[in-house]
Amino acid sequence: MRIVIAGGHGQIARRLERLLSAGGHEVAGIIRKREQGDDLREAGAEPVLMDLESASVEEVAAVLQGADAAVFAAGAGPGSGAERKGTVDRGAAMLFADAAERAHVRRHIVVSTMGADARHEGDEVFDVYLRAKGEADDYVRGKSGLDWTILRPGTLTNDAGKGLVRLEASTGRGSIPRDDVAAVLAEMTETPATAGLTLELVSGSVPVTVAVKDIAGN
């Protein structure tokens, strides 16, 4: 398969690129900075230089043309302010979904966050972030032209992945290594039966492949 990842230089994205390329897939990662390209090549991915905060739907759709799946893993990052939560975590996610629909790339996976809610209240930056992610998730779920899956991991860590997770509609609070998030995403790209599901993800006791297949069968 050809898989295009938005936010291609992110920590989860680079782990995912390694897994997908090792699995024989053709992977492209959208990046904002040219100097990030070598990191993607090292991970086995083709770097595509594009700023999703200023790109048009047509420009993004051209990148997605011919892809079998699209993964939105972009984020403004923990050091960003409220404005970029709106332009990246909300705006870029919506743009990417519009572009995928225009390019007829049905399989669409979004890396969201636990607690994302368009009705979340509060004025702190993290409150704005949860609202932005929730609004983006709602927008993607309204896209009839996409076979979407929304993945909402718990607190992300850089611990070594154990390959054991809990993947459910509601897991309760918890943490999860980025390694294991990437492993779940890789499995989901090959499991179209997870389409139409919004899922929470934390560390658990079920092997990744089993967890994804089990939830796809529900």
Side-chain angles (χ1 to χ4, degrees), residues 150-203:
I150 309 290
L151 184 65
R152 293 178 166 175
T155 303
L156 298 171
T157 75
N158 285 326
D159 297 339
K162 296 182 178 178
L164 299 172
V165 301
R166 183 178 177 190
L167 179 68
E168 299 172 11
S170 178
T171 61
R173 294 287 173 182
S175 62
I176 179 84
R178 288 179 172 86
D179 286 350
D180 289 336
V181 177
V184 168
L185 290 168
E187 194 69 26
M188 282 181 166
T189 62
E190 299 182 2
T191 313
T194 55
L197 300 177
T198 299
L199 301 169
E200 294 184 350
L201 175 68
V202 296
S203 291

mmCIF file of all heavy atoms in Angstrom, residues 150-203:
data_model
loop_
_atom_site.group_PDB
_atom_site.id
_atom_site.type_symbol
_atom_site.label_atom_id
_atom_site.label_comp_id
_atom_site.label_asym_id
_atom_site.label_seq_id
_atom_site.Cartn_x
_atom_site.Cartn_y
_atom_site.Cartn_z
ATOM 1 N N ILE A 150 -10.829 7.031 14.440
ATOM 2 C CA ILE A 150 -10.250 8.026 15.340
ATOM 3 C C ILE A 150 -9.587 7.281 16.491
ATOM 4 O O ILE A 150 -10.243 6.536 17.218
ATOM 5 C CB ILE A 150 -11.318 8.984 15.913
ATOM 6 C CG1 ILE A 150 -12.188 9.583 14.802
ATOM 7 C CG2 ILE A 150 -10.654 10.064 16.776
ATOM 8 C CD1 ILE A 150 -11.514 10.562 13.915
ATOM 9 N N LEU A 151 -8.276 7.490 16.656
ATOM 10 C CA LEU A 151 -7.536 6.839 17.740
ATOM 11 C C LEU A 151 -7.163 7.885 18.787
ATOM 12 O O LEU A 151 -6.513 8.885 18.470
ATOM 13 C CB LEU A 151 -6.273 6.164 17.201
ATOM 14 C CG LEU A 151 -5.462 5.368 18.235
ATOM 15 C CD1 LEU A 151 -6.266 4.175 18.748
ATOM 16 C CD2 LEU A 151 -4.138 4.918 17.644
ATOM 17 N N ARG A 152 -7.556 7.631 20.031
ATOM 18 C CA ARG A 152 -7.324 8.579 21.124
ATOM 19 C C ARG A 152 -6.436 7.949 22.202
ATOM 20 O O ARG A 152 -6.924 7.337 23.155
ATOM 21 C CB ARG A 152 -8.661 9.020 21.726
ATOM 22 C CG ARG A 152 -9.499 9.863 20.765
ATOM 23 C CD ARG A 152 -10.840 10.242 21.355
ATOM 24 N NE ARG A 152 -11.480 11.303 20.575
ATOM 25 C CZ ARG A 152 -12.713 11.762 20.800
ATOM 26 N NH1 ARG A 152 -13.428 11.251 21.790
ATOM 27 N NH2 ARG A 152 -13.206 12.730 20.059
ATOM 28 N N PRO A 153 -5.128 8.103 22.060
ATOM 29 C CA PRO A 153 -4.222 7.534 23.064
ATOM 30 C C PRO A 153 -4.295 8.310 24.374
ATOM 31 O O PRO A 153 -4.647 9.493 24.414
ATOM 32 C CB PRO A 153 -2.835 7.701 22.420
ATOM 33 C CG PRO A 153 -3.081 8.101 21.007
ATOM 34 C CD PRO A 153 -4.403 8.763 20.965
ATOM 35 N N GLY A 154 -3.898 7.625 25.447
ATOM 36 C CA GLY A 154 -3.744 8.274 26.742
ATOM 37 C C GLY A 154 -2.437 9.048 26.779
ATOM 38 O O GLY A 154 -1.883 9.422 25.733
ATOM 39 N N THR A 155 -1.904 9.277 27.969
ATOM 40 C CA THR A 155 -0.659 10.027 28.129
ATOM 41 C C THR A 155 0.486 9.315 27.422
ATOM 42 O O THR A 155 0.749 8.136 27.664
ATOM 43 C CB THR A 155 -0.321 10.192 29.620
ATOM 44 O OG1 THR A 155 -1.420 10.840 30.273
ATOM 45 C CG2 THR A 155 0.936 11.017 29.803
ATOM 46 N N LEU A 156 1.167 10.023 26.530
ATOM 47 C CA LEU A 156 2.223 9.419 25.727
ATOM 48 C C LEU A 156 3.549 9.397 26.481
ATOM 49 O O LEU A 156 3.917 10.372 27.145
ATOM 50 C CB LEU A 156 2.395 10.208 24.430
ATOM 51 C CG LEU A 156 1.167 10.241 23.516
ATOM 52 C CD1 LEU A 156 1.378 11.235 22.382
ATOM 53 C CD2 LEU A 156 0.858 8.859 22.966
ATOM 54 N N THR A 157 4.267 8.289 26.371
ATOM 55 C CA THR A 157 5.579 8.164 26.995
ATOM 56 C C THR A 157 6.592 7.688 25.961
ATOM 57 O O THR A 157 6.226 7.186 24.888
ATOM 58 C CB THR A 157 5.571 7.165 28.168
ATOM 59 O OG1 THR A 157 5.522 5.822 27.648
ATOM 60 C CG2 THR A 157 4.384 7.397 29.093
ATOM 61 N N ASN A 158 7.858 7.837 26.285
ATOM 62 C CA ASN A 158 8.929 7.327 25.425
ATOM 63 C C ASN A 158 9.506 6.022 25.961
ATOM 64 O O ASN A 158 10.606 5.615 25.566
ATOM 65 C CB ASN A 158 10.026 8.377 25.264
ATOM 66 C CG ASN A 158 9.612 9.505 24.329
ATOM 67 O OD1 ASN A 158 8.880 9.273 23.366
ATOM 68 N ND2 ASN A 158 10.045 10.712 24.621
ATOM 69 N N ASP A 159 8.782 5.369 26.848
ATOM 70 C CA ASP A 159 9.183 4.047 27.313
ATOM 71 C C ASP A 159 9.208 3.078 26.132
ATOM 72 O O ASP A 159 8.493 3.271 25.137
ATOM 73 C CB ASP A 159 8.203 3.519 28.370
ATOM 74 C CG ASP A 159 8.181 4.376 29.624
ATOM 75 O OD1 ASP A 159 9.157 5.118 29.854
ATOM 76 O OD2 ASP A 159 7.187 4.310 30.365
ATOM 77 N N ALA A 160 10.001 2.052 26.233
ATOM 78 C CA ALA A 160 10.018 1.033 25.184
ATOM 79 C C ALA A 160 8.661 0.355 25.106
ATOM 80 O O ALA A 160 8.051 0.024 26.133
ATOM 81 C CB ALA A 160 11.100 0.008 25.481
ATOM 82 N N GLY A 161 8.184 0.169 23.897
ATOM 83 C CA GLY A 161 6.893 -0.486 23.716
ATOM 84 C C GLY A 161 6.933 -1.943 24.149
ATOM 85 O O GLY A 161 7.931 -2.624 23.968
ATOM 86 N N LYS A 162 5.822 -2.393 24.717
ATOM 87 C CA LYS A 162 5.703 -3.790 25.130
ATOM 88 C C LYS A 162 4.805 -4.587 24.187
ATOM 89 O O LYS A 162 4.732 -5.813 24.296
ATOM 90 C CB LYS A 162 5.169 -3.863 26.557
ATOM 91 C CG LYS A 162 6.113 -3.253 27.592
ATOM 92 C CD LYS A 162 5.553 -3.387 28.998
ATOM 93 C CE LYS A 162 6.518 -2.808 30.033
ATOM 94 N NZ LYS A 162 5.973 -2.891 31.416
ATOM 95 N N GLY A 163 4.101 -3.865 23.305
ATOM 96 C CA GLY A 163 3.209 -4.560 22.385
ATOM 97 C C GLY A 163 1.946 -5.069 23.041
ATOM 98 O O GLY A 163 1.227 -5.881 22.449
ATOM 99 N N LEU A 164 1.662 -4.591 24.248
ATOM 100 C CA LEU A 164 0.477 -5.014 24.995
ATOM 101 C C LEU A 164 -0.364 -3.784 25.298
ATOM 102 O O LEU A 164 0.116 -2.835 25.921
ATOM 103 C CB LEU A 164 0.876 -5.719 26.294
ATOM 104 C CG LEU A 164 1.703 -6.991 26.129
ATOM 105 C CD1 LEU A 164 2.206 -7.486 27.480
ATOM 106 C CD2 LEU A 164 0.869 -8.081 25.436
ATOM 107 N N VAL A 165 -1.616 -3.804 24.862
ATOM 108 C CA VAL A 165 -2.445 -2.606 24.935
ATOM 109 C C VAL A 165 -3.870 -2.928 25.399
ATOM 110 O O VAL A 165 -4.275 -4.085 25.473
ATOM 111 C CB VAL A 165 -2.522 -1.909 23.561
ATOM 112 C CG1 VAL A 165 -1.133 -1.520 23.082
ATOM 113 C CG2 VAL A 165 -3.223 -2.788 22.526
ATOM 114 N N ARG A 166 -4.575 -1.856 25.678
ATOM 115 C CA ARG A 166 -6.022 -1.916 25.890
ATOM 116 C C ARG A 166 -6.638 -0.952 24.889
ATOM 117 O O ARG A 166 -6.378 0.248 24.940
ATOM 118 C CB ARG A 166 -6.380 -1.525 27.322
ATOM 119 C CG ARG A 166 -7.871 -1.637 27.624
ATOM 120 C CD ARG A 166 -8.176 -1.276 29.070
ATOM 121 N NE ARG A 166 -9.609 -1.327 29.317
ATOM 122 C CZ ARG A 166 -10.191 -0.877 30.429
ATOM 123 N NH1 ARG A 166 -9.449 -0.352 31.402
ATOM 124 N NH2 ARG A 166 -11.512 -0.951 30.576
ATOM 125 N N LEU A 167 -7.418 -1.450 23.971
ATOM 126 C CA LEU A 167 -8.000 -0.678 22.879
ATOM 127 C C LEU A 167 -9.513 -0.871 22.909
ATOM 128 O O LEU A 167 -10.018 -1.929 22.553
ATOM 129 C CB LEU A 167 -7.412 -1.160 21.543
ATOM 130 C CG LEU A 167 -7.918 -0.482 20.269
ATOM 131 C CD1 LEU A 167 -7.451 0.974 20.215
ATOM 132 C CD2 LEU A 167 -7.421 -1.241 19.028
ATOM 133 N N GLU A 168 -10.212 0.164 23.352
ATOM 134 C CA GLU A 168 -11.665 0.061 23.529
ATOM 135 C C GLU A 168 -12.309 1.410 23.259
ATOM 136 O O GLU A 168 -11.627 2.439 23.176
ATOM 137 C CB GLU A 168 -11.997 -0.391 24.959
ATOM 138 C CG GLU A 168 -11.455 -1.755 25.339
ATOM 139 C CD GLU A 168 -11.643 -2.071 26.820
ATOM 140 O OE1 GLU A 168 -12.376 -1.316 27.496
ATOM 141 O OE2 GLU A 168 -11.037 -3.044 27.294
ATOM 142 N N ALA A 169 -13.632 1.419 23.176
ATOM 143 C CA ALA A 169 -14.352 2.683 23.007
ATOM 144 C C ALA A 169 -14.084 3.599 24.194
ATOM 145 O O ALA A 169 -14.001 4.826 24.040
ATOM 146 C CB ALA A 169 -15.846 2.424 22.856
ATOM 147 N N SER A 170 -13.929 3.019 25.366
ATOM 148 C CA SER A 170 -13.598 3.795 26.564
ATOM 149 C C SER A 170 -12.716 2.941 27.463
ATOM 150 O O SER A 170 -13.139 1.880 27.923
ATOM 151 C CB SER A 170 -14.877 4.215 27.304
ATOM 152 O OG SER A 170 -14.562 4.931 28.476
ATOM 153 N N THR A 171 -11.503 3.398 27.690
ATOM 154 C CA THR A 171 -10.551 2.626 28.490
ATOM 155 C C THR A 171 -10.375 3.174 29.895
ATOM 156 O O THR A 171 -9.877 2.485 30.771
ATOM 157 C CB THR A 171 -9.159 2.626 27.828
ATOM 158 O OG1 THR A 171 -8.695 3.986 27.756
ATOM 159 C CG2 THR A 171 -9.212 2.036 26.431
ATOM 160 N N GLY A 172 -10.742 4.439 30.108
ATOM 161 C CA GLY A 172 -10.337 5.114 31.337
ATOM 162 C C GLY A 172 -8.934 5.649 31.163
ATOM 163 O O GLY A 172 -8.228 5.319 30.200
ATOM 164 N N ARG A 173 -8.518 6.500 32.084
ATOM 165 C CA ARG A 173 -7.216 7.159 31.976
ATOM 166 C C ARG A 173 -6.067 6.159 32.056
ATOM 167 O O ARG A 173 -6.176 5.117 32.700
ATOM 168 C CB ARG A 173 -7.071 8.195 33.091
ATOM 169 C CG ARG A 173 -8.046 9.363 32.965
ATOM 170 C CD ARG A 173 -7.646 10.280 31.838
ATOM 171 N NE ARG A 173 -8.644 11.308 31.582
ATOM 172 C CZ ARG A 173 -8.548 12.204 30.624
ATOM 173 N NH1 ARG A 173 -7.504 12.190 29.817
ATOM 174 N NH2 ARG A 173 -9.485 13.108 30.445
ATOM 175 N N GLY A 174 -4.965 6.509 31.424
ATOM 176 C CA GLY A 174 -3.784 5.664 31.446
ATOM 177 C C GLY A 174 -2.731 6.226 30.527
ATOM 178 O O GLY A 174 -2.941 7.236 29.847
ATOM 179 N N SER A 175 -1.582 5.573 30.490
ATOM 180 C CA SER A 175 -0.491 6.005 29.617
ATOM 181 C C SER A 175 -0.215 4.937 28.574
ATOM 182 O O SER A 175 -0.689 3.796 28.678
ATOM 183 C CB SER A 175 0.761 6.294 30.443
ATOM 184 O OG SER A 175 1.195 5.119 31.106
ATOM 185 N N ILE A 176 0.583 5.312 27.573
ATOM 186 C CA ILE A 176 0.898 4.390 26.488
ATOM 187 C C ILE A 176 2.208 4.831 25.829
ATOM 188 O O ILE A 176 2.383 6.003 25.507
ATOM 189 C CB ILE A 176 -0.260 4.367 25.441
ATOM 190 C CG1 ILE A 176 0.038 3.418 24.267
ATOM 191 C CG2 ILE A 176 -0.591 5.754 24.926
ATOM 192 C CD1 ILE A 176 -0.307 1.989 24.533
ATOM 193 N N PRO A 177 3.171 3.917 25.635
ATOM 194 C CA PRO A 177 4.391 4.291 24.911
ATOM 195 C C PRO A 177 4.083 4.640 23.453
ATOM 196 O O PRO A 177 3.212 4.016 22.828
ATOM 197 C CB PRO A 177 5.259 3.035 24.991
ATOM 198 C CG PRO A 177 4.736 2.262 26.163
ATOM 199 C CD PRO A 177 3.256 2.535 26.155
ATOM 200 N N ARG A 178 4.802 5.612 22.923
ATOM 201 C CA ARG A 178 4.623 5.979 21.516
ATOM 202 C C ARG A 178 4.890 4.792 20.597
ATOM 203 O O ARG A 178 4.278 4.674 19.534
ATOM 204 C CB ARG A 178 5.537 7.159 21.169
ATOM 205 C CG ARG A 178 5.080 8.484 21.799
ATOM 206 C CD ARG A 178 6.042 9.624 21.449
ATOM 207 N NE ARG A 178 5.535 10.926 21.876
ATOM 208 C CZ ARG A 178 5.710 11.434 23.091
ATOM 209 N NH1 ARG A 178 6.406 10.757 24.001
ATOM 210 N NH2 ARG A 178 5.212 12.619 23.403
ATOM 211 N N ASP A 179 5.807 3.914 20.993
ATOM 212 C CA ASP A 179 6.074 2.699 20.201
ATOM 213 C C ASP A 179 4.791 1.914 19.976
ATOM 214 O O ASP A 179 4.519 1.425 18.864
ATOM 215 C CB ASP A 179 7.071 1.791 20.934
ATOM 216 C CG ASP A 179 8.498 2.303 20.914
ATOM 217 O OD1 ASP A 179 8.782 3.273 20.178
ATOM 218 O OD2 ASP A 179 9.327 1.742 21.658
ATOM 219 N N ASP A 180 4.010 1.769 21.037
ATOM 220 C CA ASP A 180 2.797 0.955 20.950
ATOM 221 C C ASP A 180 1.685 1.666 20.182
ATOM 222 O O ASP A 180 0.866 1.019 19.517
ATOM 223 C CB ASP A 180 2.320 0.561 22.351
ATOM 224 C CG ASP A 180 3.251 -0.458 23.003
ATOM 225 O OD1 ASP A 180 3.958 -1.176 22.279
ATOM 226 O OD2 ASP A 180 3.271 -0.525 24.252
ATOM 227 N N VAL A 181 1.641 2.997 20.267
ATOM 228 C CA VAL A 181 0.674 3.750 19.461
ATOM 229 C C VAL A 181 0.975 3.526 17.980
ATOM 230 O O VAL A 181 0.075 3.242 17.181
ATOM 231 C CB VAL A 181 0.711 5.257 19.790
ATOM 232 C CG1 VAL A 181 -0.254 6.025 18.872
ATOM 233 C CG2 VAL A 181 0.345 5.504 21.252
ATOM 234 N N ALA A 182 2.243 3.627 17.620
ATOM 235 C CA ALA A 182 2.639 3.416 16.225
ATOM 236 C C ALA A 182 2.300 2.005 15.764
ATOM 237 O O ALA A 182 1.845 1.803 14.631
ATOM 238 C CB ALA A 182 4.125 3.688 16.059
ATOM 239 N N ALA A 183 2.508 1.032 16.633
ATOM 240 C CA ALA A 183 2.202 -0.358 16.274
ATOM 241 C C ALA A 183 0.712 -0.545 16.019
ATOM 242 O O ALA A 183 0.310 -1.258 15.089
ATOM 243 C CB ALA A 183 2.677 -1.300 17.381
ATOM 244 N N VAL A 184 -0.119 0.094 16.827
ATOM 245 C CA VAL A 184 -1.571 0.015 16.636
ATOM 246 C C VAL A 184 -1.968 0.687 15.325
ATOM 247 O O VAL A 184 -2.778 0.157 14.556
ATOM 248 C CB VAL A 184 -2.317 0.642 17.835
ATOM 249 C CG1 VAL A 184 -3.802 0.832 17.510
ATOM 250 C CG2 VAL A 184 -2.163 -0.226 19.070
ATOM 251 N N LEU A 185 -1.382 1.843 15.041
ATOM 252 C CA LEU A 185 -1.685 2.537 13.793
ATOM 253 C C LEU A 185 -1.293 1.694 12.582
ATOM 254 O O LEU A 185 -2.040 1.609 11.597
ATOM 255 C CB LEU A 185 -0.946 3.876 13.748
ATOM 256 C CG LEU A 185 -1.442 4.959 14.711
ATOM 257 C CD1 LEU A 185 -0.446 6.107 14.761
ATOM 258 C CD2 LEU A 185 -2.815 5.471 14.302
ATOM 259 N N ALA A 186 -0.123 1.079 12.648
ATOM 260 C CA ALA A 186 0.321 0.229 11.539
ATOM 261 C C ALA A 186 -0.658 -0.913 11.309
ATOM 262 O O ALA A 186 -0.996 -1.246 10.164
ATOM 263 C CB ALA A 186 1.721 -0.307 11.827
ATOM 264 N N GLU A 187 -1.114 -1.507 12.382
ATOM 265 C CA GLU A 187 -2.077 -2.609 12.280
ATOM 266 C C GLU A 187 -3.407 -2.116 11.716
ATOM 267 O O GLU A 187 -4.058 -2.802 10.917
ATOM 268 C CB GLU A 187 -2.286 -3.235 13.665
ATOM 269 C CG GLU A 187 -2.984 -4.575 13.649
ATOM 270 C CD GLU A 187 -2.145 -5.695 13.043
ATOM 271 O OE1 GLU A 187 -0.907 -5.608 13.076
ATOM 272 O OE2 GLU A 187 -2.750 -6.651 12.520
ATOM 273 N N MET A 188 -3.797 -0.904 12.101
ATOM 274 C CA MET A 188 -5.077 -0.353 11.639
ATOM 275 C C MET A 188 -5.074 -0.061 10.141
ATOM 276 O O MET A 188 -6.114 -0.154 9.490
ATOM 277 C CB MET A 188 -5.415 0.924 12.404
ATOM 278 C CG MET A 188 -5.965 0.667 13.791
ATOM 279 S SD MET A 188 -6.370 2.222 14.633
ATOM 280 C CE MET A 188 -7.352 1.576 16.009
ATOM 281 N N THR A 189 -3.916 0.311 9.597
ATOM 282 C CA THR A 189 -3.867 0.581 8.159
ATOM 283 C C THR A 189 -4.220 -0.671 7.368
ATOM 284 O O THR A 189 -4.711 -0.583 6.243
ATOM 285 C CB THR A 189 -2.482 1.093 7.714
ATOM 286 O OG1 THR A 189 -1.499 0.100 7.978
ATOM 287 C CG2 THR A 189 -2.130 2.399 8.415
ATOM 288 N N GLU A 190 -3.997 -1.834 7.960
ATOM 289 C CA GLU A 190 -4.281 -3.096 7.286
ATOM 290 C C GLU A 190 -5.567 -3.740 7.806
ATOM 291 O O GLU A 190 -5.865 -4.885 7.463
ATOM 292 C CB GLU A 190 -3.103 -4.049 7.465
ATOM 293 C CG GLU A 190 -1.805 -3.520 6.875
ATOM 294 C CD GLU A 190 -0.655 -4.493 7.021
ATOM 295 O OE1 GLU A 190 -0.871 -5.600 7.540
ATOM 296 O OE2 GLU A 190 0.466 -4.146 6.596
ATOM 297 N N THR A 191 -6.311 -2.994 8.624
ATOM 298 C CA THR A 191 -7.544 -3.541 9.202
ATOM 299 C C THR A 191 -8.689 -2.573 8.929
ATOM 300 O O THR A 191 -9.107 -1.804 9.802
ATOM 301 C CB THR A 191 -7.395 -3.770 10.724
ATOM 302 O OG1 THR A 191 -6.153 -4.439 10.984
ATOM 303 C CG2 THR A 191 -8.530 -4.630 11.266
ATOM 304 N N PRO A 192 -9.210 -2.576 7.699
ATOM 305 C CA PRO A 192 -10.248 -1.612 7.339
ATOM 306 C C PRO A 192 -11.538 -1.782 8.147
ATOM 307 O O PRO A 192 -12.347 -0.854 8.195
ATOM 308 C CB PRO A 192 -10.488 -1.886 5.845
ATOM 309 C CG PRO A 192 -9.945 -3.254 5.596
ATOM 310 C CD PRO A 192 -8.823 -3.425 6.554
ATOM 311 N N ALA A 193 -11.709 -2.935 8.791
ATOM 312 C CA ALA A 193 -12.922 -3.151 9.580
ATOM 313 C C ALA A 193 -12.968 -2.293 10.840
ATOM 314 O O ALA A 193 -13.981 -2.279 11.549
ATOM 315 C CB ALA A 193 -13.051 -4.632 9.952
ATOM 316 N N THR A 194 -11.883 -1.558 11.126
ATOM 317 C CA THR A 194 -11.938 -0.618 12.253
ATOM 318 C C THR A 194 -12.571 0.708 11.828
ATOM 319 O O THR A 194 -12.714 1.620 12.654
ATOM 320 C CB THR A 194 -10.528 -0.335 12.817
ATOM 321 O OG1 THR A 194 -9.674 0.131 11.767
ATOM 322 C CG2 THR A 194 -9.938 -1.588 13.454
ATOM 323 N N ALA A 195 -12.953 0.845 10.576
ATOM 324 C CA ALA A 195 -13.574 2.079 10.096
ATOM 325 C C ALA A 195 -14.870 2.348 10.855
ATOM 326 O O ALA A 195 -15.633 1.436 11.188
ATOM 327 C CB ALA A 195 -13.860 1.994 8.606
ATOM 328 N N GLY A 196 -15.096 3.628 11.133
ATOM 329 C CA GLY A 196 -16.313 4.028 11.836
ATOM 330 C C GLY A 196 -16.207 3.969 13.340
ATOM 331 O O GLY A 196 -17.198 4.190 14.046
ATOM 332 N N LEU A 197 -15.000 3.704 13.861
ATOM 333 C CA LEU A 197 -14.818 3.569 15.306
ATOM 334 C C LEU A 197 -13.973 4.709 15.863
ATOM 335 O O LEU A 197 -13.005 5.136 15.246
ATOM 336 C CB LEU A 197 -14.138 2.238 15.638
ATOM 337 C CG LEU A 197 -14.860 0.953 15.218
ATOM 338 C CD1 LEU A 197 -14.011 -0.270 15.556
ATOM 339 C CD2 LEU A 197 -16.227 0.861 15.892
ATOM 340 N N THR A 198 -14.363 5.185 17.041
ATOM 341 C CA THR A 198 -13.547 6.122 17.820
ATOM 342 C C THR A 198 -13.061 5.345 19.030
ATOM 343 O O THR A 198 -13.871 4.861 19.835
ATOM 344 C CB THR A 198 -14.367 7.343 18.266
ATOM 345 O OG1 THR A 198 -14.847 8.022 17.091
ATOM 346 C CG2 THR A 198 -13.518 8.299 19.084
ATOM 347 N N LEU A 199 -11.747 5.187 19.166
ATOM 348 C CA LEU A 199 -11.183 4.253 20.137
ATOM 349 C C LEU A 199 -10.164 4.924 21.050
ATOM 350 O O LEU A 199 -9.362 5.741 20.598
ATOM 351 C CB LEU A 199 -10.501 3.094 19.404
ATOM 352 C CG LEU A 199 -11.404 2.284 18.466
ATOM 353 C CD1 LEU A 199 -10.566 1.357 17.595
ATOM 354 C CD2 LEU A 199 -12.430 1.494 19.271
ATOM 355 N N GLU A 200 -10.190 4.554 22.317
ATOM 356 C CA GLU A 200 -9.173 4.988 23.262
ATOM 357 C C GLU A 200 -8.123 3.902 23.394
ATOM 358 O O GLU A 200 -8.420 2.702 23.224
ATOM 359 C CB GLU A 200 -9.809 5.306 24.620
ATOM 360 C CG GLU A 200 -10.746 6.508 24.557
ATOM 361 C CD GLU A 200 -11.318 6.913 25.901
ATOM 362 O OE1 GLU A 200 -11.152 6.147 26.883
ATOM 363 O OE2 GLU A 200 -11.928 7.998 25.970
ATOM 364 N N LEU A 201 -6.897 4.334 23.704
ATOM 365 C CA LEU A 201 -5.769 3.401 23.740
ATOM 366 C C LEU A 201 -4.855 3.698 24.919
ATOM 367 O O LEU A 201 -4.389 4.822 25.076
ATOM 368 C CB LEU A 201 -4.969 3.514 22.437
ATOM 369 C CG LEU A 201 -3.681 2.709 22.334
ATOM 370 C CD1 LEU A 201 -3.979 1.210 22.297
ATOM 371 C CD2 LEU A 201 -2.880 3.132 21.093
ATOM 372 N N VAL A 202 -4.639 2.681 25.747
ATOM 373 C CA VAL A 202 -3.678 2.761 26.848
ATOM 374 C C VAL A 202 -2.927 1.435 26.905
ATOM 375 O O VAL A 202 -3.284 0.469 26.228
ATOM 376 C CB VAL A 202 -4.362 3.046 28.204
ATOM 377 C CG1 VAL A 202 -5.032 4.418 28.212
ATOM 378 C CG2 VAL A 202 -5.380 1.953 28.547
ATOM 379 N N SER A 203 -1.900 1.382 27.719
ATOM 380 C CA SER A 203 -1.192 0.113 27.917
ATOM 381 C C SER A 203 -2.133 -0.889 28.575
ATOM 382 O O SER A 203 -3.007 -0.525 29.367
ATOM 383 C CB SER A 203 0.044 0.322 28.786
ATOM 384 O OG SER A 203 1.021 1.069 28.093
#
